[in-house]
């Protein structure tokens, strides 16, 4: 018999009638010849209600007691769903995370799964029972056997981890939308359903705020080759398949604590063009990259740093063979980008052909604040200076001097205990037929922290991000500026990064406490930002994706405050009040909108 794991979220089990409907769906799956493990969340707004009760008692509830409290929500659901199955004549048993054998680290409210003891599960499966599991929870492996919870998206994580441990055929995630859409239908009603998406693309979209799947769940699916299907709880439509590459063999021990970095990737066939002191106004990036696209010049990294006064810098990389043509385009268009065409202090063109790109890649770095810091520290310890930094959810890339590349590869492979075995993002089951852009996302829950005048010497980024990691601050985008400025005779660069809004003041305080010792300049926080992104494995092979995105934003009069890219993602920071307009603009620009509207049930 085929084993299927099904997960139902809070809205899917929000009432008695909905629980009975889920029971009928589960029974139908069994009658089709399958064994079924069901993972459920707490009913509706139960978790919110429990949190409010705790806050009514105290404004600083213990994390341990919060786990004890919140874990009761799922226990209500599993008992009721099992009763509903019994009423249909279907043999079933409900189990808490502890009874299932979901063993976690002893970290309350945000534990990661260490292993799953499958003996009891397999016994009940062999007996023909449906197993109804409380998602979001586990038990520590300490002698005290503490109840733990997995944090936001924990039921998704529980379901996919169970599918991996039991080697299930499929893990079906049932939700209140028909599958994975090209963007959030609450913001863009014309968002369209995708039939399939790669796990790499889904990781980027999930981490950018797409709420259908939690990135930790996608990470496990990718690492263990679990096929995910996201479907509606209200219809029998097939939904969206999330397809993972063939996984490398890996043990189930340390299931969520596996190495965060899969590979160290490098590229010595890279050159850089930078335009310095470009006027900070809408349309500049659109004109520059539009002209590059017209010349069929594909670019790799694009970095626009925080602005200095009324100007900022844009740098981009491409294969060395295209450097002369790219430089010619930049020189030709530079006068048109200036406020005064004859002012050669603006849009000054610089090139560098003696550079290499070094990257660490892996789904496991999501939510682990120390990974980027460890990369920077390892390079600094080897005396390797970082020129540019650009990050995505699953990759951190730096440009360095080409002569340092071999040493950088060696130290990073040693630091992360991996073999340098880059797997191109395009090497996925859908790469050849993938659209250039699969979906778009908007994140309005971030703040930008800008650090001025960071001394340009090995170890500075390492110091800063190690301090942030020690204080539990997870960093998303990181941009190190192209331009060096002399401050008191010391070459400096600016560094800007984004964090969750709740971590912004902590990050500012941490950096300011070290500013005097490290010789840093001012530290500023901007909460009024939004990050709009497009994702697609097909953009690797398609010149002009960035140009089309920038043009769409320019036509709406939207100014770009920062730009960062990876092979399959382009992200721009814009003013918060323009976030939804920006999302709609780029969604339409890539033809992602359709005629049908998706209505999300209340």
């Amino acid at each position: 018999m085929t084993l299927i794991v099904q997960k139902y979220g809070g809205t899917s089990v929000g009432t008695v009638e909905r629980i009975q409907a889920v029971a009928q769906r589960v029974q139908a799956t069994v009658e089709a010849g399958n064994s079924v493990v069901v993972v459920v969340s707490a009913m509706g707004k139960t978790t919110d209600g429990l949190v409010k009760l705790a806050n009514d008692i105290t404004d600083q509830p213990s994390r341990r007691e919060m786990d004890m409290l919140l874990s009761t929500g799922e226990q209500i659901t599993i008992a009721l769903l099992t009763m509903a199955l019994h009423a249909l004549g279907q043999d079933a048993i409900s189990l808490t995370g502890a009874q299932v054998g979901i063993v976690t680290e002893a970290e309350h409210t945000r534990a990661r799964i260490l292993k799953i003891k499958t003996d009891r599960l397999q016994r009940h499966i062999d007996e023909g029972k449906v197993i109804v599991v409380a998602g979001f929870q586990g038990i520590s492996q300490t002698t005290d056997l503490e109840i733990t919870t997995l944090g936001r998206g924990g039921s998704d994580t529980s379901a996919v981890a169970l599918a991996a441990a039991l080697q299930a055929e499929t893990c079906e995630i049932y939700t209140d939308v028909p599958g994975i859409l090209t963007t959030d239908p609450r913001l863009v009603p014309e968002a369209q359903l995708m039939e399939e998406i790669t796990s790499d693309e889904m990781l980027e979209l999930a981490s950018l705020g797409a709420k259908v799947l939690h990135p930790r769940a996608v990470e496990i699916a990718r690492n263990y080759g679990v096929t995910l299907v996201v479907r509606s709880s209200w219809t029998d439509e097939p939904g969206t398949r999330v397809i993972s590459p063939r996984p490398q063999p890996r043990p189930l021990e340390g299931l969520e604590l596996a190495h965060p970095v899969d590979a160290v990737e490098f590229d010595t066939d890279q050159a850089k063009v930078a335009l310095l002191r470009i006027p900070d106004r809408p349309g500049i990036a659109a004109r520059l990259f539009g002209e590059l696209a017209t010349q069929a010049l594909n670019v790799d990294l694009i970095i626009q740093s925080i602005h200095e006064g009324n100007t900022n810098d844009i740098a981009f990389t491409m294969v060395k063979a295209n450097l002369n043509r790219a430089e010619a385009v930049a020189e030709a268009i530079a006068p048109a980008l200036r406020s005064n065409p004859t002012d050669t202090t603006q849009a000054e063109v610089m090139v560098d052909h003696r550079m290499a790109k070094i990257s660490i890649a892996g789904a496991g770095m999501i939510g682990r604040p120390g990974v980027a810091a460890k990369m920077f520290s390892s390079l600094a310890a080897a005396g390797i200076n970082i020129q540019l930094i650009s990050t995505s959810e699953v990759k951190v890339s730096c440009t360095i001097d080409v002569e340092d590349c071999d040493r950088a590869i060696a130290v990073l492979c040693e630091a992360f205990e991996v073999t340098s075995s880059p797997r191109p993002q395009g090497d996925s089951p859908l790469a050849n037929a993938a659209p250039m852009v699969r979906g778009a996302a908007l994140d309005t829950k971030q703040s930008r922290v800008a650090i001025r005048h960071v001394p340009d010497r090995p170890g500075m980024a390492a110091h800063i991000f190690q301090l942030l990691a020690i204080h539990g601050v997870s960093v998303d985008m990181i941009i190190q500026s192209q331009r060096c400025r002399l401050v008191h005779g010391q070459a400096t660069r600016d560094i800007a990064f984004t964090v969750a809004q709740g971590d912004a003041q902590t990050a500012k305080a941490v950096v300011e406490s070290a500013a005097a010792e490290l010789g840093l300049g001012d530290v500023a926080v901007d909460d009024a930002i939004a990050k709009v992104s497009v994702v697609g494995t097909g953009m690797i092979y398609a010149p002009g994706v960035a140009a089309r995105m920038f043009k769409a934003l320019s036509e709406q009069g939207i100014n770009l405050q920062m730009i960062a890219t990876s092979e399959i993602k382009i992200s721009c920071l814009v003013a918060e009040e323009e976030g939804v307009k920006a999302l709609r603009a780029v969604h339409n620009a890539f033809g992602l909108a359709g005629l049908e509207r998706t209505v999300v049930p209340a």
Side-chain angles (χ1 to χ4, degrees), residues 445-500:
K445 304 296 185 184
Q446 292 198 346
S447 298
R448 181 182 63 197
V449 181
I451 312 171
R452 299 291 186 184
H453 306 151
V454 178
D456 184 34
R457 60 175 184 264
M460 295 308 299
H463 277 299
I464 293 167
F465 292 102
Q466 190 63 52
L467 283 171
L468 292 169
I470 290 169
H471 287 82
V473 176
S474 288
V475 175
D476 181 15
M477 290 174 69
I478 302 173
I479 297 289
Q480 178 168 285
S481 68
Q482 161 64 31
R483 199 188 327 170
C484 266
R485 299 176 183 85
L486 286 177
V487 177
H488 306 303
Q490 167 77 55
T492 69
R493 296 180 190 266
D494 296 335
I495 292 180
F497 56 91
T498 59
V499 297

Side-chain angles (χ1 to χ4, degrees), residues 229-288:
V229 180
V230 180
R231 303 179 64 183
S232 170
S233 298
W234 325 115
T235 73
D236 292 323
E237 295 301 313
T240 306
R241 293 176 66 84
V242 182
I243 300 175
S244 295
R246 184 175 300 164
Q248 300 174 2
R250 64 176 73 223
L252 286 164
E253 289 283 334
L255 193 145
E256 269 205 286
L257 297 183
H259 290 208
V261 172
D262 292 332
V264 174
E265 302 176 356
F266 62 94
D267 187 352
T268 56
D269 186 27
Q270 289 251 317
K272 177 182 69 183
V273 175
L275 285 89
L276 309 183
R277 297 176 296 278
I278 296 177
D280 183 37
R281 63 174 185 262
I284 294 293
R287 293 196 66 176
L288 171 60

Side-chain angles (χ1 to χ4, degrees), residues 168 205 216 501:
L205 286 172
R216 280 171 63 184
Q501 285 180 347

